[in-house]
Amino acid sequence: MSMTIYVPCDSSAVSLGADRVATAIAQEAAKRGLYINLIRNGSRGMYWLEPLVEVSTDKGRVAYGPVQPGDVPGLFDADFTQGGAHALSLGLTEELDYFKKQQRLTFARIGKTDPVSLTDYIENDGYRGLKNALAMTQEQIVQAVSDAGLRGRGGAAFPTGIKWKTVLNTASLQKYIICNADEGDSGTFSDRMVMEGDPFVLIEGMTIAGLGVDATQGYIYLRIEYPHAYEVLNAAIATAYETGYLGENIQGSGKTFNLEVRLGAGAYVCGEETSLMESLEGKRGLVRFKPPLPAIKGLFGQPTVVNNVISLASVPVILDKGGDYYRDFGMGRSRGTLPVQLAGNIKRPGLVELSFGLTLRELLYDFGGGSASGRPIRAVQVGGPLGAYLPESQFDTPLDYEAFAAIWAVVGHGGIVVFDDTVNMAEMARYSMEFCKIESCGKCTPCRIGSTRGVEVMDDIINGRNLDKNIPLLRDLCDTLLNGSLCALGGMTPYPVLSALNHFPEDFGINAKATAA
Protein backbone atom coordinates (compact mmCIF):
# COMPACT_ATOMS: atom_id res chain seq x y z
CA MET A 1 0.00 0.00 0.00
CA SER A 2 1.40 3.37 -1.07
CA MET A 3 1.20 6.33 1.30
CA THR A 4 1.50 9.87 -0.09
CA ILE A 5 3.55 12.34 1.92
CA TYR A 6 4.11 16.00 1.00
CA VAL A 7 7.21 18.00 1.97
CA PRO A 8 7.60 21.51 0.51
CA CYS A 9 10.39 22.36 -1.93
CA ASP A 10 9.75 26.10 -1.37
CA SER A 11 13.05 27.87 -0.70
CA SER A 12 11.89 29.28 2.66
CA ALA A 13 10.90 25.78 3.79
CA VAL A 14 14.22 24.45 2.46
CA SER A 15 16.09 27.11 4.45
CA LEU A 16 14.34 25.75 7.55
CA GLY A 17 15.34 22.15 6.82
CA ALA A 18 12.72 20.76 4.40
CA ASP A 19 15.27 18.92 2.25
CA ARG A 20 16.74 17.22 5.30
CA VAL A 21 13.25 16.29 6.51
CA ALA A 22 12.35 14.79 3.11
CA THR A 23 15.55 12.71 3.13
CA ALA A 24 14.91 11.56 6.70
CA ILE A 25 11.35 10.48 5.81
CA ALA A 26 12.54 8.52 2.77
CA GLN A 27 15.29 6.80 4.79
CA GLU A 28 13.01 5.98 7.72
CA ALA A 29 10.36 4.52 5.40
CA ALA A 30 12.96 2.36 3.67
CA LYS A 31 14.29 1.17 7.03
CA ARG A 32 10.78 0.11 8.06
CA GLY A 33 10.02 -1.52 4.70
CA LEU A 34 7.26 0.96 3.88
CA TYR A 35 6.58 2.17 0.35
CA ILE A 36 5.77 5.87 0.28
CA ASN A 37 5.03 8.35 -2.51
CA LEU A 38 7.02 11.45 -1.48
CA ILE A 39 5.89 14.62 -3.27
CA ARG A 40 7.72 17.93 -3.03
CA ASN A 41 4.95 20.53 -3.12
CA GLY A 42 4.92 24.31 -2.80
CA SER A 43 4.44 25.98 0.57
CA ARG A 44 0.99 26.68 1.96
CA GLY A 45 2.43 29.99 3.14
CA MET A 46 2.25 29.33 6.91
CA TYR A 47 5.95 29.89 7.43
CA TRP A 48 6.00 29.65 11.23
CA LEU A 49 4.97 26.00 10.74
CA GLU A 50 7.63 25.13 8.14
CA PRO A 51 8.82 22.53 7.38
CA LEU A 52 5.16 21.50 7.18
CA VAL A 53 4.71 17.81 6.37
CA GLU A 54 1.34 16.65 5.06
CA VAL A 55 -0.03 13.14 4.57
CA SER A 56 -3.02 12.07 2.49
CA THR A 57 -5.80 10.36 4.43
CA ASP A 58 -9.40 9.42 3.67
CA LYS A 59 -10.51 12.62 5.46
CA GLY A 60 -8.09 14.89 3.62
CA ARG A 61 -4.50 16.02 4.08
CA VAL A 62 -3.29 16.05 7.68
CA ALA A 63 -0.51 18.46 8.64
CA TYR A 64 2.44 18.06 11.01
CA GLY A 65 4.83 20.86 11.79
CA PRO A 66 7.26 22.35 12.20
CA VAL A 67 9.07 19.05 11.58
CA GLN A 68 12.81 18.54 11.94
CA PRO A 69 14.77 15.40 10.93
CA GLY A 70 14.97 14.26 14.55
CA ASP A 71 11.17 14.19 14.76
CA VAL A 72 10.78 11.72 11.87
CA PRO A 73 11.19 8.36 13.73
CA GLY A 74 8.65 9.47 16.32
CA LEU A 75 6.21 10.43 13.58
CA PHE A 76 6.47 6.96 12.07
CA ASP A 77 6.05 5.41 15.54
CA ALA A 78 2.84 7.45 15.87
CA ASP A 79 1.61 6.09 12.52
CA PHE A 80 1.56 9.58 11.02
CA THR A 81 1.25 8.11 7.51
CA GLN A 82 -2.35 7.31 8.49
CA GLY A 83 -2.88 10.65 10.24
CA GLY A 84 -1.93 9.33 13.71
CA ALA A 85 -1.83 11.58 16.79
CA HIS A 86 1.51 13.25 17.58
CA ALA A 87 2.70 16.36 19.42
CA LEU A 88 3.35 18.01 16.03
CA SER A 89 -0.07 17.09 14.62
CA LEU A 90 -2.03 20.13 13.47
CA GLY A 91 -5.12 18.40 12.11
CA LEU A 92 -6.51 18.80 8.61
CA THR A 93 -4.44 21.39 6.73
CA GLU A 94 -7.37 23.13 5.12
CA GLU A 95 -9.17 23.43 8.47
CA LEU A 96 -6.34 25.47 10.04
CA ASP A 97 -7.76 28.92 10.85
CA TYR A 98 -4.98 30.86 9.11
CA PHE A 99 -5.61 28.93 5.91
CA LYS A 100 -9.36 28.37 6.13
CA LYS A 101 -10.20 32.08 6.37
CA GLN A 102 -8.46 32.89 3.09
CA GLN A 103 -9.94 33.33 -0.40
CA ARG A 104 -7.35 31.73 -2.62
CA LEU A 105 -7.80 32.47 -6.32
CA THR A 106 -4.28 33.12 -7.57
CA PHE A 107 -2.85 30.74 -4.95
CA ALA A 108 -5.53 28.06 -5.36
CA ARG A 109 -3.03 25.29 -6.23
CA ILE A 110 0.06 26.41 -4.34
CA GLY A 111 0.91 23.90 -1.62
CA LYS A 112 -1.40 21.26 -3.08
CA THR A 113 0.56 20.09 -6.13
CA ASP A 114 3.96 19.13 -7.44
CA PRO A 115 4.99 22.46 -9.05
CA VAL A 116 6.60 20.91 -12.14
CA SER A 117 3.89 18.29 -12.79
CA LEU A 118 1.78 19.37 -15.75
CA THR A 119 -0.62 16.52 -14.94
CA ASP A 120 -1.16 17.94 -11.43
CA TYR A 121 -1.69 21.40 -12.91
CA ILE A 122 -4.32 20.28 -15.43
CA GLU A 123 -6.12 18.05 -12.89
CA ASN A 124 -6.46 21.12 -10.64
CA ASP A 125 -8.17 23.42 -13.20
CA GLY A 126 -4.95 24.41 -14.98
CA TYR A 127 -5.02 25.60 -18.61
CA ARG A 128 -8.80 26.03 -18.59
CA GLY A 129 -8.32 29.78 -19.01
CA LEU A 130 -6.05 29.26 -22.02
CA LYS A 131 -8.53 26.85 -23.57
CA ASN A 132 -11.22 29.54 -23.36
CA ALA A 133 -8.84 32.21 -24.64
CA LEU A 134 -8.01 30.16 -27.74
CA ALA A 135 -11.71 30.27 -28.68
CA MET A 136 -11.98 34.06 -28.15
CA THR A 137 -11.01 37.09 -30.21
CA GLN A 138 -8.17 39.30 -28.99
CA GLU A 139 -10.66 42.02 -28.10
CA GLN A 140 -12.69 39.55 -26.01
CA ILE A 141 -9.60 38.43 -24.07
CA VAL A 142 -8.60 42.01 -23.29
CA GLN A 143 -12.19 42.90 -22.40
CA ALA A 144 -12.41 40.00 -19.91
CA VAL A 145 -9.35 41.35 -18.09
CA SER A 146 -10.85 44.87 -18.16
CA ASP A 147 -14.19 43.58 -16.86
CA ALA A 148 -12.43 41.84 -13.96
CA GLY A 149 -11.09 45.19 -12.72
CA LEU A 150 -7.59 43.72 -12.42
CA ARG A 151 -4.98 46.34 -11.55
CA GLY A 152 -1.22 45.94 -11.50
CA ARG A 153 -0.13 44.02 -8.41
CA GLY A 154 3.44 45.28 -8.63
CA GLY A 155 2.86 48.60 -6.91
CA ALA A 156 1.47 51.22 -9.30
CA ALA A 157 -2.01 49.59 -9.44
CA PHE A 158 -2.54 50.67 -13.06
CA PRO A 159 -5.57 48.99 -14.71
CA THR A 160 -4.23 45.94 -16.54
CA GLY A 161 -6.95 46.02 -19.21
CA ILE A 162 -6.03 49.56 -20.29
CA LYS A 163 -2.37 48.59 -20.66
CA TRP A 164 -3.28 45.51 -22.73
CA LYS A 165 -5.75 47.46 -24.87
CA THR A 166 -3.09 50.07 -25.69
CA VAL A 167 -0.66 47.37 -26.84
CA LEU A 168 -3.39 45.60 -28.84
CA ASN A 169 -4.33 48.82 -30.63
CA THR A 170 -0.73 49.82 -31.43
CA ALA A 171 0.23 48.48 -34.84
CA SER A 172 3.56 46.62 -34.96
CA LEU A 173 5.08 43.53 -36.54
CA GLN A 174 6.50 42.46 -33.15
CA LYS A 175 5.10 42.87 -29.64
CA TYR A 176 6.37 41.60 -26.29
CA ILE A 177 5.08 40.41 -22.92
CA ILE A 178 7.42 41.02 -19.99
CA CYS A 179 6.86 39.56 -16.55
CA ASN A 180 8.53 41.74 -13.94
CA ALA A 181 9.77 39.09 -11.49
CA ASP A 182 12.41 41.35 -9.93
CA GLU A 183 10.73 41.05 -6.51
CA GLY A 184 13.00 43.30 -4.46
CA ASP A 185 10.69 44.93 -1.92
CA SER A 186 11.38 44.19 1.74
CA GLY A 187 8.97 41.68 3.23
CA THR A 188 7.66 40.41 -0.10
CA PHE A 189 7.69 36.81 -1.31
CA SER A 190 4.40 36.19 -3.14
CA ASP A 191 6.07 36.30 -6.58
CA ARG A 192 8.66 33.78 -5.44
CA MET A 193 5.97 31.50 -4.03
CA VAL A 194 4.12 31.50 -7.37
CA MET A 195 7.24 30.82 -9.42
CA GLU A 196 8.46 28.06 -7.10
CA GLY A 197 5.06 26.61 -6.21
CA ASP A 198 2.91 26.95 -9.35
CA PRO A 199 5.03 28.05 -12.36
CA PHE A 200 2.46 26.90 -14.94
CA VAL A 201 -0.05 29.52 -13.76
CA LEU A 202 2.45 32.24 -14.69
CA ILE A 203 3.24 30.57 -18.01
CA GLU A 204 -0.49 30.28 -18.75
CA GLY A 205 -1.14 33.90 -17.79
CA MET A 206 1.67 35.16 -20.01
CA THR A 207 0.48 32.99 -22.91
CA ILE A 208 -3.05 34.40 -22.59
CA ALA A 209 -1.58 37.92 -22.52
CA GLY A 210 0.37 37.16 -25.69
CA LEU A 211 -2.77 35.88 -27.44
CA GLY A 212 -4.73 38.91 -26.27
CA VAL A 213 -2.39 41.60 -27.58
CA ASP A 214 -0.80 39.70 -30.51
CA ALA A 215 2.60 39.32 -28.85
CA THR A 216 4.60 36.24 -29.80
CA GLN A 217 7.57 36.57 -27.43
CA GLY A 218 7.64 36.73 -23.65
CA TYR A 219 10.39 37.26 -21.10
CA ILE A 220 10.40 36.61 -17.36
CA TYR A 221 12.86 39.08 -15.83
CA LEU A 222 13.85 37.22 -12.67
CA ARG A 223 15.98 38.51 -9.83
CA ILE A 224 19.24 36.59 -9.57
CA GLU A 225 18.65 35.97 -5.85
CA TYR A 226 15.94 33.39 -6.73
CA PRO A 227 17.89 30.30 -7.92
CA HIS A 228 15.12 27.87 -6.93
CA ALA A 229 12.57 29.82 -8.97
CA TYR A 230 14.96 29.91 -11.94
CA GLU A 231 15.28 26.14 -11.90
CA VAL A 232 11.55 25.48 -11.48
CA LEU A 233 10.50 28.01 -14.15
CA ASN A 234 12.89 26.58 -16.71
CA ALA A 235 11.73 23.02 -15.99
CA ALA A 236 8.08 24.05 -16.39
CA ILE A 237 8.78 26.04 -19.57
CA ALA A 238 10.55 23.02 -21.09
CA THR A 239 7.52 20.84 -20.28
CA ALA A 240 5.15 23.43 -21.77
CA TYR A 241 7.11 23.39 -25.03
CA GLU A 242 7.18 19.58 -25.12
CA THR A 243 3.41 19.35 -24.63
CA GLY A 244 2.41 22.11 -27.05
CA TYR A 245 1.45 24.75 -24.50
CA LEU A 246 4.26 27.01 -25.76
CA GLY A 247 5.80 27.37 -29.20
CA GLU A 248 4.58 27.91 -32.74
CA ASN A 249 1.31 25.96 -32.69
CA ILE A 250 -0.21 26.23 -29.23
CA GLN A 251 -2.57 23.26 -28.76
CA GLY A 252 -3.03 23.02 -32.54
CA SER A 253 -4.42 26.56 -32.78
CA GLY A 254 -1.80 27.93 -35.15
CA LYS A 255 -1.06 30.64 -32.54
CA THR A 256 2.52 31.32 -31.42
CA PHE A 257 3.99 32.28 -28.06
CA ASN A 258 7.59 31.76 -27.00
CA LEU A 259 8.90 32.31 -23.49
CA GLU A 260 12.26 32.47 -21.75
CA VAL A 261 13.72 33.50 -18.40
CA ARG A 262 16.32 36.25 -18.14
CA LEU A 263 18.24 36.94 -14.93
CA GLY A 264 18.71 40.40 -13.43
CA ALA A 265 21.91 41.29 -11.63
CA GLY A 266 20.77 42.60 -8.27
CA ALA A 267 19.75 46.20 -9.06
CA TYR A 268 16.59 47.30 -7.22
CA VAL A 269 15.94 50.02 -9.80
CA CYS A 270 15.47 47.33 -12.48
CA GLY A 271 12.12 46.63 -10.87
CA GLU A 272 11.06 49.89 -12.59
CA GLU A 273 9.67 48.87 -15.97
CA THR A 274 11.78 51.08 -18.25
CA SER A 275 14.99 50.32 -16.38
CA LEU A 276 14.09 46.63 -16.62
CA MET A 277 13.73 46.93 -20.40
CA GLU A 278 17.11 48.64 -20.68
CA SER A 279 18.61 45.72 -18.76
CA LEU A 280 16.81 43.18 -20.98
CA GLU A 281 18.30 44.92 -24.02
CA GLY A 282 21.77 44.37 -22.57
CA LYS A 283 22.31 47.93 -21.41
CA ARG A 284 22.90 49.50 -18.01
CA GLY A 285 19.67 49.65 -15.98
CA LEU A 286 18.85 53.34 -16.33
CA VAL A 287 15.32 54.73 -16.13
CA ARG A 288 13.89 56.04 -19.40
CA PHE A 289 11.97 59.25 -19.82
CA LYS A 290 8.23 58.78 -20.35
CA PRO A 291 6.49 59.31 -22.75
CA PRO A 292 6.70 57.25 -24.87
CA LEU A 293 5.01 54.66 -22.72
CA PRO A 294 6.24 51.03 -22.87
CA ALA A 295 2.82 50.00 -24.20
CA ILE A 296 3.58 52.05 -27.35
CA LYS A 297 7.37 51.96 -27.51
CA GLY A 298 8.87 49.48 -25.08
CA LEU A 299 11.35 46.62 -25.44
CA PHE A 300 13.53 47.15 -28.55
CA GLY A 301 11.21 50.06 -29.39
CA GLN A 302 8.16 47.80 -29.83
CA PRO A 303 4.76 47.78 -28.02
CA THR A 304 5.26 45.92 -24.74
CA VAL A 305 3.07 44.71 -21.88
CA VAL A 306 4.98 44.83 -18.58
CA ASN A 307 3.12 43.16 -15.70
CA ASN A 308 4.07 41.81 -12.31
CA VAL A 309 4.03 38.05 -11.51
CA ILE A 310 0.84 38.25 -9.44
CA SER A 311 -0.95 40.31 -12.12
CA LEU A 312 -0.17 37.70 -14.80
CA ALA A 313 -0.83 34.76 -12.46
CA SER A 314 -4.32 36.21 -11.80
CA VAL A 315 -5.23 36.09 -15.50
CA PRO A 316 -5.95 32.31 -15.85
CA VAL A 317 -8.73 32.30 -13.24
CA ILE A 318 -10.28 35.38 -14.91
CA LEU A 319 -10.33 33.67 -18.32
CA ASP A 320 -11.55 30.44 -16.72
CA LYS A 321 -14.40 31.80 -14.60
CA GLY A 322 -15.04 35.17 -16.24
CA GLY A 323 -14.30 38.78 -15.43
CA ASP A 324 -17.49 39.17 -13.39
CA TYR A 325 -16.50 36.30 -11.08
CA TYR A 326 -13.17 37.95 -10.25
CA ARG A 327 -14.66 41.44 -9.96
CA ASP A 328 -17.13 40.26 -7.32
CA PHE A 329 -14.24 40.03 -4.84
CA GLY A 330 -12.91 43.25 -3.30
CA MET A 331 -14.19 46.78 -2.68
CA GLY A 332 -14.44 50.10 -4.54
CA ARG A 333 -11.98 50.19 -7.42
CA SER A 334 -9.82 47.50 -5.80
CA ARG A 335 -11.19 44.29 -7.29
CA GLY A 336 -10.26 40.67 -6.81
CA THR A 337 -7.87 39.38 -4.19
CA LEU A 338 -4.44 40.48 -2.99
CA PRO A 339 -1.78 38.10 -1.65
CA VAL A 340 -0.58 39.89 1.48
CA GLN A 341 2.79 38.97 2.95
CA LEU A 342 3.32 39.28 6.71
CA ALA A 343 6.96 39.64 7.76
CA GLY A 344 9.20 41.30 10.31
CA ASN A 345 8.39 41.16 14.02
CA ILE A 346 5.25 39.04 13.63
CA LYS A 347 4.30 35.85 15.48
CA ARG A 348 2.82 34.06 12.47
CA PRO A 349 4.62 35.22 9.32
CA GLY A 350 3.24 34.05 6.01
CA LEU A 351 1.05 34.66 3.01
CA VAL A 352 -2.62 35.57 3.23
CA GLU A 353 -4.74 35.87 0.06
CA LEU A 354 -7.99 37.71 0.65
CA SER A 355 -10.34 40.16 -1.04
CA PHE A 356 -9.45 43.81 -0.75
CA GLY A 357 -11.17 45.46 2.21
CA LEU A 358 -9.61 43.64 5.14
CA THR A 359 -8.04 46.01 7.69
CA LEU A 360 -4.42 46.08 8.74
CA ARG A 361 -5.49 45.32 12.32
CA GLU A 362 -7.25 42.12 11.23
CA LEU A 363 -4.17 41.04 9.28
CA LEU A 364 -1.75 41.81 12.10
CA TYR A 365 -3.72 40.20 14.91
CA ASP A 366 -6.29 37.73 13.49
CA PHE A 367 -3.77 36.24 11.07
CA GLY A 368 -0.35 37.37 12.31
CA GLY A 369 -1.08 36.86 16.01
CA GLY A 370 0.60 40.10 17.06
CA SER A 371 4.33 40.67 17.40
CA ALA A 372 6.79 37.81 17.73
CA SER A 373 8.40 39.60 20.68
CA GLY A 374 5.08 39.92 22.51
CA ARG A 375 5.55 43.69 22.73
CA PRO A 376 3.06 46.20 21.29
CA ILE A 377 3.21 46.74 17.53
CA ARG A 378 4.28 50.35 17.05
CA ALA A 379 4.52 50.66 13.28
CA VAL A 380 4.12 48.71 10.07
CA GLN A 381 5.60 49.50 6.68
CA VAL A 382 3.32 48.54 3.82
CA GLY A 383 4.48 48.45 0.19
CA GLY A 384 8.20 47.78 0.45
CA PRO A 385 11.13 50.08 1.33
CA LEU A 386 9.38 53.02 -0.36
CA GLY A 387 6.11 52.52 1.52
CA ALA A 388 4.88 54.70 4.38
CA TYR A 389 5.28 53.75 8.04
CA LEU A 390 1.81 53.49 9.55
CA PRO A 391 1.16 54.04 13.28
CA GLU A 392 -1.36 52.12 15.38
CA SER A 393 -3.95 54.87 14.84
CA GLN A 394 -4.11 53.88 11.14
CA PHE A 395 -4.36 50.10 11.61
CA ASP A 396 -8.12 50.19 10.89
CA THR A 397 -7.49 51.38 7.32
CA PRO A 398 -8.94 48.85 4.85
CA LEU A 399 -6.54 47.30 2.38
CA ASP A 400 -7.67 49.28 -0.65
CA TYR A 401 -5.64 51.35 -3.12
CA GLU A 402 -7.75 54.50 -2.70
CA ALA A 403 -8.11 54.19 1.09
CA PHE A 404 -4.32 53.97 1.40
CA ALA A 405 -3.79 56.89 -0.99
CA ALA A 406 -6.11 58.96 1.22
CA ILE A 407 -3.71 58.57 4.17
CA TRP A 408 -0.65 59.15 1.93
CA ALA A 409 0.35 55.49 1.90
CA VAL A 410 0.64 52.75 -0.72
CA VAL A 411 -0.51 49.12 -0.85
CA GLY A 412 2.26 48.35 -3.34
CA HIS A 413 3.11 44.69 -3.72
CA GLY A 414 1.26 43.79 -0.51
CA GLY A 415 4.31 43.33 1.72
CA ILE A 416 3.79 44.23 5.40
CA VAL A 417 6.83 44.55 7.68
CA VAL A 418 6.06 44.79 11.39
CA PHE A 419 7.99 46.68 14.11
CA ASP A 420 7.38 46.60 17.86
CA ASP A 421 7.81 49.49 20.30
CA THR A 422 11.60 49.12 20.49
CA VAL A 423 12.04 50.51 16.95
CA ASN A 424 13.66 53.90 16.43
CA MET A 425 11.77 55.53 13.58
CA ALA A 426 14.42 58.16 12.92
CA GLU A 427 16.85 55.31 12.22
CA MET A 428 14.29 53.76 9.88
CA ALA A 429 13.90 57.09 8.04
CA ARG A 430 17.67 57.24 7.66
CA TYR A 431 17.65 53.69 6.29
CA SER A 432 15.12 54.72 3.63
CA MET A 433 17.35 57.57 2.48
CA GLU A 434 20.40 55.32 2.47
CA PHE A 435 18.53 52.67 0.50
CA CYS A 436 17.67 55.26 -2.16
CA LYS A 437 21.27 56.48 -2.23
CA ILE A 438 22.63 52.95 -2.79
CA GLU A 439 20.02 51.82 -5.32
CA SER A 440 19.67 55.02 -7.38
CA CYS A 441 20.49 54.51 -11.06
CA GLY A 442 22.07 57.99 -11.01
CA LYS A 443 20.23 59.37 -14.03
CA CYS A 444 18.33 62.19 -12.30
CA THR A 445 19.79 64.73 -9.89
CA PRO A 446 17.02 64.79 -7.24
CA CYS A 447 17.40 61.07 -6.57
CA ARG A 448 21.19 60.79 -7.04
CA ILE A 449 22.17 63.87 -5.02
CA GLY A 450 19.05 64.29 -2.90
CA SER A 451 19.33 60.87 -1.28
CA THR A 452 23.02 61.45 -0.50
CA ARG A 453 22.26 64.81 1.12
CA GLY A 454 19.29 63.16 2.85
CA VAL A 455 21.53 60.67 4.65
CA GLU A 456 23.74 63.55 5.84
CA VAL A 457 20.75 65.54 7.11
CA MET A 458 19.36 62.47 8.87
CA ASP A 459 22.71 61.92 10.60
CA ASP A 460 22.61 65.50 11.87
CA ILE A 461 19.03 65.03 13.11
CA ILE A 462 19.79 61.72 14.84
CA ASN A 463 22.73 63.37 16.58
CA GLY A 464 20.51 66.29 17.67
CA ARG A 465 22.34 68.91 15.62
CA ASN A 466 20.52 72.10 14.53
CA LEU A 467 17.02 70.59 14.55
CA ASP A 468 15.44 74.00 13.85
CA LYS A 469 17.32 74.08 10.56
CA ASN A 470 17.55 70.38 9.68
CA ILE A 471 13.91 69.32 10.14
CA PRO A 472 12.63 71.94 7.63
CA LEU A 473 15.61 71.09 5.39
CA LEU A 474 14.58 67.41 5.44
CA ARG A 475 11.02 68.34 4.45
CA ASP A 476 12.28 70.57 1.61
CA LEU A 477 14.56 67.80 0.38
CA CYS A 478 11.65 65.32 0.40
CA ASP A 479 9.56 67.79 -1.59
CA THR A 480 12.31 67.97 -4.22
CA LEU A 481 12.61 64.17 -4.38
CA LEU A 482 8.84 63.75 -4.57
CA ASN A 483 8.28 66.22 -7.40
CA GLY A 484 11.57 66.15 -9.29
CA SER A 485 12.59 62.48 -9.53
CA LEU A 486 12.37 60.62 -12.82
CA CYS A 487 10.90 57.43 -11.32
CA ALA A 488 9.31 56.06 -8.15
CA LEU A 489 12.62 55.23 -6.46
CA GLY A 490 13.38 58.87 -5.72
CA GLY A 491 9.76 59.94 -5.99
CA MET A 492 8.57 57.63 -3.22
CA THR A 493 11.49 57.76 -0.79
CA PRO A 494 9.71 60.70 0.95
CA TYR A 495 6.83 58.36 1.88
CA PRO A 496 8.72 56.40 4.57
CA VAL A 497 10.80 59.44 5.62
CA LEU A 498 7.92 61.89 6.07
CA SER A 499 5.55 59.30 7.56
CA ALA A 500 8.17 58.49 10.21
CA LEU A 501 8.67 62.20 10.88
CA ASN A 502 4.95 63.01 11.00
CA HIS A 503 3.76 60.05 13.08
CA PHE A 504 6.75 59.55 15.36
CA PRO A 505 8.21 63.07 15.93
CA GLU A 506 9.57 62.11 19.35
CA ASP A 507 12.13 59.82 17.70
CA PHE A 508 13.50 62.83 15.85
CA GLY A 509 14.01 64.74 19.10
CA ILE A 510 11.25 67.23 18.30
CA ASN A 511 9.24 66.82 21.52
CA ALA A 512 12.37 66.57 23.65
CA LYS A 513 13.72 69.81 22.15
CA ALA A 514 10.41 71.63 22.71
CA THR A 515 10.38 70.46 26.34
CA ALA A 516 13.97 71.62 26.88
CA ALA A 517 13.12 75.05 25.47
Side-chain angles (χ1 to χ4, degrees):
M1 179 182 171
S2 171
M3 295 158 282
T4 303
I5 301 174
Y6 299 84
V7 181
C9 59
D10 176 275
S11 56
S12 288
V14 168
S15 74
L16 292 164
D19 283 351
R20 296 192 299 275
V21 170
T23 300
I25 288 172
Q27 290 175 343
E28 190 68 22
K31 192 164 77 175
R32 295 175 185 237
L34 300 172
Y35 179 74
I36 62 167
N37 179 25
L38 184 63
I39 295 176
R40 303 302 301 274
N41 57 318
S43 174
R44 298 277 193 165
M46 297 176 282
Y47 283 115
W48 78 98
L49 296 175
E50 291 289 7
L52 184 76
V53 174
E54 296 178 75
V55 294
S56 285
T57 70
D58 293 339
K59 294 179 181 177
R61 274 158 65 165
V62 176
Y64 297 81
V67 176
Q68 289 300 318
D71 300 319
V72 170
L75 285 169
F76 275 95
D77 290 342
D79 200 22
F80 89 115
T81 57
Q82 303 301 317
H86 186 275
L88 296 177
S89 178
L90 302 165
L92 293 170
T93 309
E94 298 195 7
E95 292 300 313
L96 294 172
D97 260 4
Y98 193 97
F99 193 80
K100 189 179 181 181
K101 291 178 181 176
Q102 298 187 38
Q103 294 162 305
R104 289 200 162 197
L105 300 183
T106 308
F107 279 68
R109 274 172 300 274
I110 298 178
K112 291 184 179 180
T113 59
D114 175 348
V116 293
S117 168
L118 181 61
T119 302
D120 275 11
Y121 184 67
I122 292 170
E123 285 178 355
N124 287 274
D125 298 341
Y127 276 123
R128 285 171 42 162
L130 178 63
K131 183 180 179 182
N132 290 341
L134 286 169
M136 296 163 70
T137 66
Q138 293 174 329
E139 289 76 13
Q140 287 172 331
I141 294 170
V142 173
Q143 193 59 48
V145 173
S146 297
D147 291 345
L150 179 65
R151 294 165 72 177
R153 299 293 191 246
F158 188 80
T160 304
I162 293 176
K163 189 179 284 190
W164 287 24
K165 195 170 290 186
T166 305
V167 175
L168 173 61
N169 293 333
T170 304
S172 177
L173 292 174
Q174 179 65 59
K175 298 177 184 180
Y176 297 101
I177 306 293
I178 295 176
C179 172
N180 182 349
D182 193 49
E183 185 176 50
D185 283 357
S186 46
T188 57
F189 44 86
S190 61
D191 289 359
R192 177 189 62 72
M193 284 183 68
V194 167
M195 292 183 288
E196 292 181 359
D198 193 16
F200 288 109
V201 78
L202 177 57
I203 295 168
E204 182 182 0
M206 292 185 72
T207 307
I208 293 168
L211 294 176
V213 305
D214 198 26
T216 55
Q217 178 66 51
Y219 296 100
I220 300 171
Y221 186 88
L222 177 69
R223 69 185 308 224
I224 199 168
E225 294 89 346
Y226 283 172
H228 291 79
Y230 183 68
E231 187 178 324
V232 172
L233 282 170
N234 279 316
I237 287 170
T239 299
Y241 271 109
E242 289 163 10
T243 52
Y245 284 99
L246 283 174
E248 294 186 2
N249 186 22
I250 296 169
Q251 296 301 292
S253 67
K255 305 282 180 65
T256 297
F257 188 71
N258 293 299
L259 182 60
E260 62 183 273
V261 183
R262 294 287 180 87
L263 286 174
Y268 180 80
V269 78
C270 286
E272 193 279 335
E273 60 183 8
T274 65
S275 182
L276 183 158
M277 289 187 294
E278 288 285 295
S279 177
L280 263 180
E281 291 177 9
K283 304 169 190 170
R284 182 181 169 194
L286 294 176
V287 175
R288 295 177 184 174
F289 291 102
K290 288 188 281 190
L293 296 169
I296 294 167
K297 190 177 179 182
L299 186 67
F300 302 116
Q302 305 305 313
T304 305
V305 167
V306 186
N307 280 137
N308 164 266
V309 172
I310 299 299
S311 307
L312 290 161
S314 299
V315 168
V317 71
I318 292 170
L319 269 292
D320 175 15
K321 300 190 176 181
D324 291 350
Y325 173 85
Y326 190 82
R327 190 185 60 221
D328 285 346
F329 293 85
M331 65 176 282
R333 288 177 51 217
S334 301
R335 312 312 306 176
T337 59
L338 179 71
V340 177
Q341 301 118 95
L342 295 173
N345 193 337
I346 191 83
K347 188 176 181 182
R348 296 195 291 265
L351 181 122
V352 178
E353 185 181 358
L354 276 166
S355 299
F356 286 92
L358 193 75
T359 67
L360 275 175
R361 195 178 303 278
E362 289 172 290
L363 282 165
L364 295 171
Y365 294 99
D366 294 356
F367 285 92
S371 72
S373 61
R375 300 181 66 90
I377 296 176
R378 187 180 185 210
V380 297
Q381 186 177 33
V382 184
L386 308 178
Y389 290 104
L390 305 183
E392 197 272 340
S393 62
Q394 295 182 332
F395 287 180
D396 292 313
T397 306
L399 214 64
D400 165 77
Y401 293 121
E402 279 65 46
F404 265 63
I407 61 168
W408 215 67
V410 291
V411 173
H413 189 38
I416 298 177
V417 181
V418 181
F419 302 86
D420 73 9
D421 62 356
T422 61
V423 69
N424 182 308
M425 296 309 297
E427 293 284 357
M428 298 312 299
R430 184 194 184 281
Y431 167 77
S432 299
M433 278 292 188
E434 186 180 35
F435 181 85
C436 182
K437 170 187 167 184
I438 292 167
E439 295 293 347
S440 174
C441 78
K443 187 164 184 174
C444 72
T445 304
C447 179
R448 182 182 71 249
I449 303 299
S451 56
T452 302
R453 296 289 84 88
V455 174
E456 295 167 0
V457 173
M458 280 305 312
D459 283 339
D460 282 342
I461 291 170
I462 288 168
N463 288 304
R465 290 194 287 266
N466 299 322
L467 295 191
D468 284 342
K469 182 185 88 171
N470 284 317
I471 296 292
L473 184 60
L474 179 63
R475 290 188 181 278
D476 283 351
L477 192 56
C478 284
D479 187 57
T480 302
L481 280 161
L482 184 68
N483 294 298
S485 297
L486 189 56
C487 83
L489 177 56
M492 286 186 63
T493 294
Y495 277 68
V497 176
L498 291 178
S499 60
L501 180 61
N502 292 337
H503 297 305
F504 308 96
E506 62 274 19
D507 287 13
F508 292 76
I510 294 174
N511 288 357
K513 184 178 184 297
T515 305

